[in-house]
Amino acid sequence: MKLGSLVLVACLALPSLAHAQSAVGKAVVGGKTVTLFDDGTWKFADALDPSTPAACEAVTPTVQFCGAALGWTTTPPASAEINAAYRIDARHYAQYLIEDLGSDDGLTADFMRQVVLDNAQMATGNTPEVIDVQSVTLGALSGDTVVYKVKINGLDVVFANSVFVQPKRVMQIMTYAIGGEFTPQHAGYQADFLSNTKLAE
C-alpha cells in the first residue's frame, strides 16, 4: 500500500470550494526574499510576520509554519487541496488544509466536525471511530481537535484534526499516525504542530 493513500483521506477532510493560496517557492527580488504563491502573487517574506524567525515558511499569505527545528520536513502535497504537507518519521505526518470559506458562509464548528468524519468514511468506505473531541486554541482563535481512527485498506490510521472556523477562513491543521491508538507521542506532535503555526493578517 502506498502512503499516498493515507494522505488522500486527509485531503478529503474539507470540500474544496474555495481553496486558499498555497506557497510554492521563494525568489529574490531587489535583494529581498519573496514568497511565491500558486495564484501567481507574491509577498516579501518579511511582510508575512516580521516577528517570526527566519526558519518559518509560508503556508499561505497569512499562515506560517515554524517547525523545521523540531524535525518536520516538507513532503509533496498529495493533492491541490492540501496547502502544505510534512512528515517527522515513517509513522507520523501532518498537513494544512485552509479554505477561503468561513462562518460568513454559514460554516460552523459542528458542521466542520461532521464533514471531517463524513469524508473519512466516504474516502475509505469505513466508519471512523471518534476517540475524542478536545477544545484547542491557536493564538486568539478557539477551535476543536477531532481525534478519530479509521481503517485504510485494513491499516489503522489515527487522525488529530484541529479545525478553526473564522468569518472568511476555515483552517484544518492535522497530524496523523499509522497505528490504532492516539498515543502520547502523537498528541505531543499535534500540540507542537499547532504551537509552531503562526498567523498574520
Side-chain angles (χ1 to χ4, degrees):
M1 182 185 104
K2 290 184 178 180
L3 289 179
S5 65
L6 299 178
V7 177
L8 175 62
V9 172
C11 79
L12 293 174
L14 182 69
S16 56
L17 301 174
H19 177 63
Q21 296 169 296
S22 296
V24 294
K26 294 190 183 236
V28 177
V29 175
K32 294 185 178 186
T33 302
V34 297
T35 301
L36 306 171
F37 297 97
D38 61 1
D39 67 351
T41 62
W42 60 272
K43 282 189 175 184
F44 285 107
D46 61 359
L48 295 171
D49 185 349
S51 67
T52 57
C56 297
E57 62 182 54
V59 175
T60 70
T62 59
V63 179
Q64 296 175 316
F65 180 57
C66 308
L70 299 175
W72 290 99
T73 58
T74 304
T75 62
S79 73
E81 289 80 19
I82 301 170
N83 297 90
Y86 305 87
R87 68 177 278 171
I88 199 160
D89 59 33
R91 184 171 298 272
H92 297 91
Y93 300 83
Q95 60 193 18
Y96 291 91
L97 284 82
I98 303 169
E99 301 288 332
D100 291 332
L101 294 171
S103 57
D104 286 356
D105 301 295
L107 300 183
T108 65
D110 289 339
F111 174 80
M112 289 307 303
R113 282 192 302 273
Q114 193 59 51
V115 165
V116 166
L117 299 172
D118 288 348
N119 283 330
Q121 182 169 356
M122 180 183 66
T124 65
N126 297 309
T127 302
E129 174 189 335
V130 176
I131 298 169
D132 198 5
V133 177
Q134 308 165 348
S135 296
V136 67
T137 59
L138 178 63
L141 299 178
S142 296
D144 294 315
T145 298
V146 181
V147 181
Y148 65 94
K149 175 174 68 173
V150 68
K151 282 199 179 289
I152 302 173
N153 295 333
L155 185 69
D156 284 330
V157 181
V158 174
F159 289 84
N161 189 336
S162 297
V163 180
F164 301 93
V165 179
Q166 298 175 270
K168 300 195 180 303
R169 173 172 67 183
V170 171
M171 291 188 295
Q172 293 187 61
I173 303 170
M174 72 181 77
T175 56
Y176 55 102
I178 299 169
E181 296 185 20
F182 186 49
T183 65
Q185 182 182 31
H186 185 177
Y189 283 149
Q190 180 71 10
D192 286 346
F193 207 79
L194 287 171
S195 67
N196 284 279
T197 298
K198 307 299 180 195
L199 304 178
E201 291 302 331

